[in-house]
């Protein structure tokens, strides 16, 4: 699967490098979205969640940390490459690097990656759940709104940064520079969240993990001042880091690991749909002459309601097993 995903991303990069027009561009971006942001993260988190049991939280947080690090480093490298050798050649180099990574991964890890894995770490001490069984389980739908809360909220707010800056009388330059706080806290929280999940379990932490985001949204709604920008972004980064770790662990704890890939695929699809709908929903409220302060207050209410729903669902799970 790792070989398939890496080579698929390499093909997408090569298509971009040699595309003669818009159809090739669209195909290249589709392949990169499908194999890159989609399957790379899905495969990595699924494989690690299946391979680790006792230290699953730490392992997932380490894997997830690769994304913010890449988001900080790769754009700089790509821009520098495009300036030096052109954007087509840069995508060609990326394709070659991905092929090289495929060979390297197979040489170093190929023999130690199991082709299949069945372990006794089943959800709640019972047999591993199939995707069909999970889709009939009410708990899945009670937990899902809280799990997709962080990406939904952050996408909605980040997409509308201009009206947010205008409502708070911030310059866009100040707001952009404040994103350093988000990146730093996001990365730091990943390494804090992993040990916490291993110690207390994702089911105990899940109903509370949106608290930093709720604080950030309430601060945006009720407070003023230039100092608020880095504070709100730091709280958002904290919430996002905890959420990313929980999303990699919770399904294995609830439903076991045999069908983890299929179960996570459903959850990821819902999350992608939610993040696509978030800017539209927030934009519709802004079009109705709502202020950003009122929009973020609604988002805070959603986060609180989703947390209470998840707490009730997980309590029901404990009582019924």
């Amino acid at each position: 699967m790792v070989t398939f995903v890496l080579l698929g991303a390499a093909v997408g990069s090569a298509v971009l490098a040699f595309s003669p027009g818009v159809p090739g561009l669209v195909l290249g971006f589709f392949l990169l979205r499908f194999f890159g942001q989609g399957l790379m993260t899905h495969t990595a988190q699924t494989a690690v969640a299946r391979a680790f049991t006792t230290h699953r939280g730490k392992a997932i947080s380490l894997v997830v940390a690769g994304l913010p690090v890449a988001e900080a480093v790769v754009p700089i490298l790509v821009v520098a490459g495009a300036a030096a050798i052109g954007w087509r050649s840069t995508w060609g180099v990326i394709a070659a690097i991905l092929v090289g990574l495929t060979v390297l991964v197979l040489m170093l890890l190929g023999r130690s990656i199991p082709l299949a894995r069945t372990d006794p770490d089943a959800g709640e001490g019972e047999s591993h759940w199939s995707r069909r069984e999970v889709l009939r389980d009410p708990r899945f739908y009670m937990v899902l709104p809280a799990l997709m809360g962080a990406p939904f909220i952050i996408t909605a707010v980040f997409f509308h940064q201009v009206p947010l800056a205008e409502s708070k009388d911030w310059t866009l330059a100040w707001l952009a520079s404040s994103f350093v706080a988000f990146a730093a806290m996001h990365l730091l929280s990943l390494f804090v969240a992993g040990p916490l999940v291993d110690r207390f379990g994702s089911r105990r932490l899940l109903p509370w993990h949106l608290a930093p985001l709720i604080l950030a949204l309430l601060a945006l709604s009720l407070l003023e001042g230039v100092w608020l920008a880095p504070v709100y972004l730091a709280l958002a980064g904290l919430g996002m880091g905890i959420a990313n770790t929980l999303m990699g662990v919770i399904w294995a704890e609830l439903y076991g690991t045999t069908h983890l890939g299929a179960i996570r695929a459903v959850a990821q699809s819902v999350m992608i749909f939610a993040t696509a709908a978030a800017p539209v929903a927030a934009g519709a409220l802004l079009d109705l002459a709502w202020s950003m302060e009122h929009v973020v207050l609604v988002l805070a209410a959603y986060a609180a309601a989703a947390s209470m729903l998840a707490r009730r669902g997980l309590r029901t799970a404990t009582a019924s097993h």
Side-chain angles (χ1 to χ4, degrees):
M1 186 64 183
V2 172
T3 305
F4 172 68
V5 170
L6 286 173
L7 291 180
V11 171
S13 302
V15 169
L16 277 185
F18 296 103
S19 72
V22 173
L25 196 68
V26 172
L27 176 61
F29 278 126
F30 170 80
L31 291 173
L32 285 174
R33 174 76 172 180
F34 183 82
F35 287 100
Q37 190 173 5
L39 279 179
M40 275 190 182
T41 55
H42 176 59
T43 303
Q45 292 190 35
T46 301
V48 169
R50 285 166 61 89
F52 290 84
T53 54
T54 306
H55 300 287
R56 181 179 286 140
K58 298 185 188 73
I60 287 291
S61 65
L62 184 61
V63 169
V64 175
L67 197 56
V69 170
E71 288 172 342
V73 175
V74 172
I76 299 172
L77 296 177
V78 170
V79 170
I85 60 176
W87 68 269
R88 287 186 182 273
S89 298
T90 300
W91 279 111
V93 170
I94 292 172
I97 290 173
L98 287 168
V99 172
L101 279 176
T102 304
V103 175
L104 189 63
V105 166
L106 291 177
M107 288 176 58
L108 297 180
L109 302 176
R111 294 182 179 180
S112 61
I113 297 177
L115 294 178
R117 177 181 173 83
T118 56
D119 60 51
D121 181 38
E124 300 181 342
E126 299 203 354
S127 61
H128 296 261
W129 295 55
S130 69
R131 179 163 64 181
R132 180 177 297 179
E133 291 170 333
V134 169
L135 291 176
R136 292 199 299 262
D137 183 16
R139 297 173 302 164
F140 179 75
Y141 303 98
M142 298 176 79
V143 167
L144 202 55
L147 274 178
M148 70 180 187
F152 178 86
I153 291 168
I154 287 178
T155 303
V157 177
F158 283 8
F159 194 88
H160 295 288
Q161 287 296 301
V162 173
L164 176 63
E166 291 174 349
S167 70
K168 294 299 181 183
D169 200 23
W170 299 335
T171 66
L172 289 178
W174 168 245
L175 183 56
S177 64
S178 298
F179 270 84
V180 174
F182 175 82
M185 191 58 71
H186 185 185
L187 190 59
L188 178 63
S189 66
L190 287 171
F191 293 100
V192 174
L196 287 176
V197 169
D198 289 336
R199 181 173 180 179
F200 298 105
S202 61
R203 281 172 284 179
R204 288 186 181 179
L205 294 179
L206 180 63
W208 307 102
H209 84 283
L210 292 176
L213 268 177
I214 293 174
L215 289 176
L217 294 169
L218 290 177
L220 283 179
S221 178
L222 303 174
L223 302 176
E224 300 290 340
V226 293
W227 59 270
L228 184 58
V231 170
Y232 119 74
L233 285 167
L235 287 170
L238 175 61
M240 196 65 191
I242 299 172
N244 283 339
T245 303
L246 286 173
M247 282 189 280
V249 176
I250 184 67
W251 304 124
E253 284 196 7
L254 283 178
Y255 301 119
T257 57
T258 299
H259 303 286
L260 183 60
I263 296 165
R264 285 196 76 256
V266 175
Q268 287 293 106
S269 299
V270 173
M271 187 191 72
I272 291 171
F273 177 80
T275 54
V280 179
L285 294 178
L286 292 172
D287 287 340
L288 293 174
W290 284 42
S291 67
M292 275 301 294
E293 285 80 5
H294 289 145
V295 171
V296 296
L297 198 59
V298 169
L299 293 173
Y302 163 79
S307 298
M308 289 188 288
L309 181 65
R311 187 164 183 260
R312 181 177 178 181
L314 293 172
R315 273 186 167 183
T316 303
T318 302
S320 61
H321 286 271

